[in-house]
C-alpha cells in the first residue's frame, strides 16, 4: 500500500502549576526525541504563539504547538508509535508532567504543497534558525465544496502567497483517513522567514480576489487562524541543557535506562546522557554537559579503544576548575565497539569512526565543534575527521597516536584478541567481554611504570576488562591498516599533537607527524605519562589544552 505523508499537529497549554523548566526539559529532552527517533518521523518543531498579546486573536488558546512531518500517517495508529503512549515507555515524570498540560492532538494527510525555489527545510539550517513565522488556518468546509477549496488553494491562492516577501512554503492538509473522523477538517500551514511581507500589499492581494471571497462566504463554515514563531527544533538526541540549570528541574531516567538528565549541582554542571543510532545501526551512547547556552562552543572527546568516557573525568575536573572554561559544552561518547551494538559497517575504518563524530554533531545540531580531542584510536579518529570534514571542525588535538598503522598492528592486535577469547570472560548479564588478562596486559603497556598499581591504573583495568568482546573484535579493524600522511599535508584545520613522555617510540613518531601537518603544528610532551596523559597527568594535560584553546581566542 502506498504511503500517505502527513502531519502530527499537537497543541499544548501548560497549567500554572507546571514550572517552565520542567515543561521544557520534559518536552525537549524526553517526549519529542522518542518520536523523532522513529524512522517515519521526518522532523519535529516547537512553535510559540505570537497572537496572544494585545488584540491578538489567539487569546485563551494554547500557547504552544508542535508539528511533526511523518512519511506515512498509518504508522501513527500502530506500534511502535502507539507504544510511546503507554506505561511501557512513559516514566512517572512524564505522567506527572502531562497531568499539568492540556493537550490537543490532530493528525492530517497532505493534500498539496508548494515551496519557494530557495526553500531549505528548517531542520537542515544551522545554526538554529530564529523567529521563523508559521501561519496556521484550520478550516471547516461544506462537504460539496471540498474540491473547490483544494482547487482554489493550488490554482490561485498559493501562487499569490508566493509573491509575498519572505514566503517559504505553503501546505494544505485534511483530516487523516486513519482517524476515521465523522467530519473532515482542512489545515493550511504557511511558512515565512522572520522578515516578511505579511500584512503588506502582496498579502492583501492574496485575500482580495473574487474567488477568495466566494470560498470564504460559501465554502468555509468556520476558520481559526493562528500565528507562531519557531522556538525549538527537536532532534533524536536530547540536547537542551538550559532547563537543567533551573532549581525546579527534575532528573530523568528513562525506563530503558538509556537516557537520563542531571540538573546542575555544584560543582557539577548539568548533563544529559542518551544515545544516537547511526545509519548502519550502531548505537552510540553520549553525555553532553556544561554551558546551558545552545550556541556554546563544543569540545568533543574521543576515546582510545577498549575504554569509555571515564578516561576524561580527571582531566575535566582540572580543566573546569577554571571558571572561564564553563563557557564550553563537553561532548563525550562511547566509541563504536565499546558495546556489542556496533552496526553493520564492515570493515570498521577510520572513515567510519570519523563519520560517527559527524552523526553525533548532526543529531545534536552542532554545526561546527570548537575542538575535537582524541587519544590513541580516538586521536587518529579526530585527525581523520579534521582532514575529511574540515568545515565541521574548528581545531583538533590528537594524542598518543600514529598517522599510519604500524606494519605489526594486524598481528599484534590479533594476538590480543586471542588472549581475550581464550579467557572467555562474561559480564554479569552473560555477555562475552574482554576480561582481566588482556586488561592487565593493556594497562601495563599503557601506563608509565611508576603509575602501575595506582588508583587510575586499576580503574582503567576495570574499564578495559568490561569492554564487549565482539565490539573489540570488530572495532580493532580500524587499527589494522590506515595511512593519512599524504592527506595531512593539505590539512586546513589548526591542530596540536600531544604525547606522554614515556609512551615508547611515540614521542619521536609524533614529532614527525607534527612536521607533516599542513603549515606545521606543535608537539607537546607530557612528562611522567604513558599512553593516556589525560588519566596519568590530568592537570598537566589540562594546561596543554587550555593554552591551545586560548590561542584561538
Amino acid at each position: 500500500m502506498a504511503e500517505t505523508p502527513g502531519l502530527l499537529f499537537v497543541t499544548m497549554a501548560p497549567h500554572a502549576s507546571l514550572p517552565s523548566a520542567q515543561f521544557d526539559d520534559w518536552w525537549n529532552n524526553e517526549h519529542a526525541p522518542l518520536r523523532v527517533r522513529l524512522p517515519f518521523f521526518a522532523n519535529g518543531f516547537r512553535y510559540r504563539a505570537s497572537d496572544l498579546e494585545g488584540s491578538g486573536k489567539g487569546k485563551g488558546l494554547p500557547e504552544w504547538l508542535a508539528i511533526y512531518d511523518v512519511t506515512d500517517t498509518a504508522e501513527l495508529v500502530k506500534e511502535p508509535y502507539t507504544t510511546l503512549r503507554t506505561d511501557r515507555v512513559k516514566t512517572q515524570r512524564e505522567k506527572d508532567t502531562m497531568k499539568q498540560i492540556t493537550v490537543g492532538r490532530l493528525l492530517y494527510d497532505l493534500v498539496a504543497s508548494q515551496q519557494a525555489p530557495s526553500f531549505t527545510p528548517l531542520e537542515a539550517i544551522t545554526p538554529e534558525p530564529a523567529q521563523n513565522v508559521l501561519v496556521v488556518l484550520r478550516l471547516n468546509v461544506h462537504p460539496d465544496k471540498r474540491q473547490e477549496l483544494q482547487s482554489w488553494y493550488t490554482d490561485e491562492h498559493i501562487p499569490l502567497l508566493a509573491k509575498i516577501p519572505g514566503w517559504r512554503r505553503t501546505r494544505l492538509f485534511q483530516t487523516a483517513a486513519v482517524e476515521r473522523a465523522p467530519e473532515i477538517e482542512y489545515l493550511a500551514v504557511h511558512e515565512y522567514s522572520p522578515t516578511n511581507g505579511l500584512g503588506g500589499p502582496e498579502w492583501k492581494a492574496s485575500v482580495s480576489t473574487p474567488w477568495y471571497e466566494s470560498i470564504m462566504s460559501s465554502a468555509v463554515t468556520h476558520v481559526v487562524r493562528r500565528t507562531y514563531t519557531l522556538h525549538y527544533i527537536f532532534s533524536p538526541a536530547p540536547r537542551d541543557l538550559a532547563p537543567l540549570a533551573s532549581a525546579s528541574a527534575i532528573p530523568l531516567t528513562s525506563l530503558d535506562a538509556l537516557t537520563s538528565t542531571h540538573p546542575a549541582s555544584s560543582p557539577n554542571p548539568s548533563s544529559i546522557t542518551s544515545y544516537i543510532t547511526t545509519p548502519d545501526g550502531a548505537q552510540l551512547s553520549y553525555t553532553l554537559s556544561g554551558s546551558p547556552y545552545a550556541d556554546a562552543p563544543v569540545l568533543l572527546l574521543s576515546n582510545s579503544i577498549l575504554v569509555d568516557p571515564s578516561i576524561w573525568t580527571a582531566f575535566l575536573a582540572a580543566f573546569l576548575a577554571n571558571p572561564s572554561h564553563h563557557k564550553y559544552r563537553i561532548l563525550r561518547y562511547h566509541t563504536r565497539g565499546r558495546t556489542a551494538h556496533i552496526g553493520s559497517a564492515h570493515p570498521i575504518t577510520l572513515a567510519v569512526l570519523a563519520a560517527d563524530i559527524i552523526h553525533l554533531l548532526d543529531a545534536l545540531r552542532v554545526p561546527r565543534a570548537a575542538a575535537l580531542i582524541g587519544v590513541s584510536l580516538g586521536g587518529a579518529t579526530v585527525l581523520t575527521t579534521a582532514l575529511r570534514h574540515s568545515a565541521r571542525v574548528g581545531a583538533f588535538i590528537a594524542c598518543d597516536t600514529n598517522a599510519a598503522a604500524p606494519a605489526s598492528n594486524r598481528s599484534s592486535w590479533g594476538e590480543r584478541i586471542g588472549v581475550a577469547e581464550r579467557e572467555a570472560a562474561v559480564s554479569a548479564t552473560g555477555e562475552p567481554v574482554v576480561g582481566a588478562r588482556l586488561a592487565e596486559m593493556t594497562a601495563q603497556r599503557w601506563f608509565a611504570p611508576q603509575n602501575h598499581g595506582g588508583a587510575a591504573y586499576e580503574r582503567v583495568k576495570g574499564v578495559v576488562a568490561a569492554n564487549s568482546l565482539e565490539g573489540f573484535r570488530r572495532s580493532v579493524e580500524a587499527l589494522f591498516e590506515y595511512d593519512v600522511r599524504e592527506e595531512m599535508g593539505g590539512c586546513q584545520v589548526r591542530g596540536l599533537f600531544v604525547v606522554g613522555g614515556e609512551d615508547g617510540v611515540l614521542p619521536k613518531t609524533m614529532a614527525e607527524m607534527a612536521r607533516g601537518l599542513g603549515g606545521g603544528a606543535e608537539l607537546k610532551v607530557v612528562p611522567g605519562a604513558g599512553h593516556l596523559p589525560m588519566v596519568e597527568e590530568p592537570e598537566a594535560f589540562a594546561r596543554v589544552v587550555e593554552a591551545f584553546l586560548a590561542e584561538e581566542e
Side-chain angles (χ1 to χ4, degrees), residues 294-314:
D295 59 352
V298 171
L299 304 181
L300 179 145
L301 310 180
S302 186
N303 314 324
S304 167
I305 198 167
L306 289 172
V307 298
D308 66 16
S310 65
I311 64 168
W312 304 99
T313 301

Side-chain angles (χ1 to χ4, degrees), residues 18-19 21-22 25-26 30 93 96-97 100 243-244 246-253 261-263:
L18 181 61
Q22 182 181 341
D25 181 31
W26 163 77
E30 180 178 6
R93 188 184 84 151
D96 293 342
T97 301
Q100 302 176 76
L244 297 174
S246 168
S248 62
I250 298 176
L252 160 72
T253 299
T261 64
H262 308 275

